[in-house]
Amino acid sequence: MPQPLNYLKETASQTAGPYVHIGLIPAMAGFDIFEKNFSNVLTTPDTDGERITLEGKVIDGTGTPLRDVLLEIWQANAAGRYNHPADRSPGALEQEFRGWGRAGSDFESGLVTFETIKPGAITDRAGRTCAPHINVWIVARGINIGLNTRLYFSDEEAANAADPVLNLIEQPIRRQTLVAKRSERGGKVVYSFTINLQGPEETVFFDV
Amino acid sequence: MNAQAPALQDPRLNRPEPLAPPLCDGGFFERDRSIHPPAHAPGYKSSVLRSPRQSLLSLEGSVSEITGPVFGHNDLGPLDNDLIRNYAKDGDPVGERIIVHGRVLDETGRGVPNTLVEFWQANAGGRYRHKKDTYLAPIDPNFGGCGRALTDDTGYYYFRTVKPGPYPWRNYVNSWRPAHIHFSVFGSGFAQRLITQMYFEGDPLIPICPILTTIPDKDALDRLVAPLDLNASAPFDSLAYRFDIVLRGQRSTYFENRTAGN
């Protein structure tokens, strides 16, 4: 027997529980405590790129929206550059665009919204172009370990067809679960998404 | 706020030298899912309808996953890691005063510097300050129940609070959560994102909790139980508990088909 390598083991995940808002979005829990709060608005007036609203729901195995779910998104800027030192791609960095936000679902409707910009296309490690996408992380009561998925854009058909991650999904019909639908409402661009946790139209989740 | 409350002191006795990890952008160690709770864990009833039935699709880390949000001291306020004072209205909160401290490490043992740690909890009676919590134990007017800290150059964090109480919940007819503090940790890449819960040494509710026992690995479960750390306590002020958090290890990039060097 070889000697074991003495790596530490990752800390085990636990559910975020129904009161996740206390720690992560205290205003939703019903109180004001921090001077500065994180939010679902990623943009400032100076942010480059097309302003978009992401709007959707997370659905359980009976078709009922989760009303206590929390989503975080992580994305590149309009030039396809992540605001992180490990991204050394050539796109211009915008210091004021963090590229991250969090939102809780509405306690009545389950609706989740983000105000952001449409990200540019990314170049992956092998130099391939990836279709514009937003990384999504989902936690809630009843979810024991955060779920990772992606949102792609319905008006990027050619880029989506060539995307190396979408093409890893064996069944083409399942790729559609990751595509947010573009529409316009009152002059604003809205991308609508549905994340199905379970069932015949189950969203693709990733082990990243 | 109570102006008489003493300032929170760094509880470390011997501060280790700061580590300066190299920029490792080769992705993360594969997540060992055998130590994490499965998505479908029927003893925790609400997981039944909220767990995917399809397999997860494995992705090797691309730039989307090895990067993640960066936070700085400008994001925090001066009392954000002091739950004794950050919601105090006309005095200190009621309860056992404790310091919780530890390091955020990765699986290689390196400290994870400058990463955001967030925490939230019930008050000493097991009541959450949340509009959806209707447990009959009262709200504490001087206790909010949340805080946050950035780790230092060595991955170290600390905060002060009161020890939370257990509380009942609707799972089985008579289910009670052990005393616990929820933790949210970022790490350096979005693939390291983790939410977990810290428990307290010696709590007899731990082995019978339907949420905690979703964890299949006994050692992994034990690592969520923080031991009493008398050396870090403040005499005549606060006891201390030690809770180290381990995130996924990070690799360097060797011999990969790309132009940028390692």
Side-chain angles (χ1 to χ4, degrees):
Chain A
M1 283 286 285
Q3 297 182 43
L5 289 169
N6 290 320
Y7 286 113
L8 301 176
K9 297 295 272 181
E10 190 187 12
T11 298
S13 174
Q14 290 267 266
T15 179
Y19 307 129
V20 59
H21 316 91
I22 294 173
L24 305 190
I25 315 178
M28 284 192 71
F31 67 109
D32 178 36
I33 184 164
F34 298 133
E35 292 170 29
K36 295 176 183 170
N37 290 285
F38 302 124
S39 84
N40 61 336
V41 179
L42 283 73
T43 51
T44 69
D46 298 329
T47 307
D48 286 337
E50 181 186 20
R51 298 293 187 281
I52 63 171
T53 300
L54 292 176
E55 183 179 277
K57 293 182 180 179
V58 181
I59 308 292
D60 77 8
T62 70
T64 307
L66 272 62
R67 295 172 299 171
D68 54 7
V69 69
L70 184 138
L71 269 56
E72 292 185 0
I73 60 172
W74 169 242
Q75 66 168 93
N77 67 14
R81 176 84 181 262
Y82 288 98
N83 192 345
H84 186 277
D87 185 357
R88 287 171 286 180
S89 61
L93 186 62
E94 278 176 87
Q95 293 294 348
E96 297 303 311
F97 183 72
R98 190 180 342 237
W100 171 86
R102 65 167 49 133
S105 58
D106 183 88
F107 287 136
E108 304 301 324
S109 67
L111 200 66
V112 182
T113 61
F114 290 94
E115 301 295 334
T116 184
I117 53 100
K118 190 173 174 188
I122 318 297
T123 303
D124 78 0
R125 304 163 69 82
R128 297 173 299 190
T129 300
C130 306
H133 64 272
I134 290 177
N135 304 287
V136 183
W137 186 68
I138 304 158
V139 294
R141 173 176 68 91
I143 296 178
N144 284 323
I145 181 165
L147 293 166
N148 290 88
T149 186
R150 290 182 170 197
L151 291 177
Y152 290 83
F153 300 94
S154 62
D155 56 330
E156 296 283 347
E157 278 187 37
N160 292 345
D163 182 76
V165 169
L166 284 174
N167 281 300
L168 284 177
I169 302 170
E170 183 183 345
Q171 299 84 4
I173 194 170
R174 297 205 72 211
R175 296 172 195 162
Q176 294 306 311
T177 66
L178 304 185
V179 180
K181 307 282 186 296
R182 182 182 175 112
S183 63
E184 292 194 22
R185 188 197 305 153
K188 291 175 70 177
V189 175
V190 179
Y191 285 92
S192 304
F193 65 89
T194 302
I195 294 171
N196 288 296
L197 295 181
Q198 188 185 98
E201 296 176 69
E202 187 171 306
T203 295
V204 174
F205 298 104
F206 297 107
D207 189 4
V208 297
Chain B
M1 198 183 81
N2 181 1
Q4 301 303 309
L8 179 55
Q9 300 294 316
D10 186 332
R12 275 173 298 183
L13 298 177
N14 298 301
R15 181 185 165 115
E17 287 302 306
L19 296 172
L23 179 63
C24 297
D25 61 357
F28 295 101
F29 297 1
E30 177 182 293
R31 180 164 260 161
D32 178 356
R33 298 228 167 222
S34 73
I35 62 166
H36 290 285
H40 180 256
Y44 173 29
K45 293 185 179 182
S46 51
S47 76
V48 171
L49 287 171
R50 295 182 168 202
S51 44
R53 291 292 181 268
Q54 304 293 326
S55 299
L56 301 179
L57 180 66
S58 298
L59 286 188
E60 55 181 308
S62 76
V63 70
S64 289
E65 289 84 30
I66 66 170
T67 60
V70 176
F71 300 96
H73 289 283
N74 288 340
D75 291 309
L76 306 184
L79 291 177
D80 281 6
N81 72 336
D82 191 351
L83 282 68
I84 298 276
R85 296 176 71 189
N86 69 7
Y87 201 75
K89 303 300 182 192
D90 57 5
D92 286 348
V94 173
E96 286 181 54
R97 298 164 64 91
I98 60 168
I99 291 163
V100 178
H101 74 136
R103 288 180 74 201
V104 179
L105 306 162
D106 78 8
E107 289 168 309
T108 68
R110 283 187 292 228
V112 182
N114 305 313
T115 200
L116 184 66
V117 183
E118 298 166 289
F119 21 86
W120 68 99
Q121 62 169 96
N123 70 22
R127 176 70 185 269
Y128 282 101
R129 184 176 288 280
H130 191 291
K131 57 173 73 165
K132 296 292 182 186
D133 187 4
T134 56
Y135 180 35
L136 54 77
I139 288 282
D140 183 331
N142 294 308
F143 190 69
C146 61
R148 49 199 189 179
L150 273 185
T151 59
D152 71 7
D153 292 345
T154 71
Y156 186 78
Y157 76 91
Y158 64 96
F159 62 97
R160 176 167 70 173
T161 185
V162 294
K163 187 176 174 185
Y167 64 85
W169 59 299
R170 297 191 181 281
N171 190 65
Y172 300 122
V173 170
N174 194 19
S175 293
W176 292 75
R177 295 303 324 280
H180 64 276
I181 299 176
H182 297 263
F183 276 73
S184 159
V185 194
F186 279 83
S188 58
F190 209 46
Q192 282 179 308
R193 194 78 179 85
L194 183 73
I195 278 184
T196 188
Q197 301 181 30
M198 178 200 115
Y199 302 88
F200 292 86
E201 179 184 4
D203 188 337
L205 290 168
I206 287 174
I208 57 172
C209 173
I211 288 181
L212 187 48
T213 53
T214 57
I215 297 172
D217 181 298
K218 173 70 165 62
D219 293 335
L221 188 156
D222 286 345
R223 288 193 296 269
L224 298 186
V225 182
L228 178 71
D229 186 352
L230 206 56
N231 287 335
S233 69
F236 295 95
D237 183 331
S238 300
L239 280 174
Y241 287 85
R242 170 88 187 195
F243 186 53
D244 291 339
I245 298 165
V246 179
L247 303 179
R248 296 163 66 181
Q250 199 163 11
R251 297 184 271 114
S252 292
T253 307
Y254 303 105
F255 307 118
E256 197 167 358
N257 180 22
R258 60 184 193 133
T259 51
N262 179 43

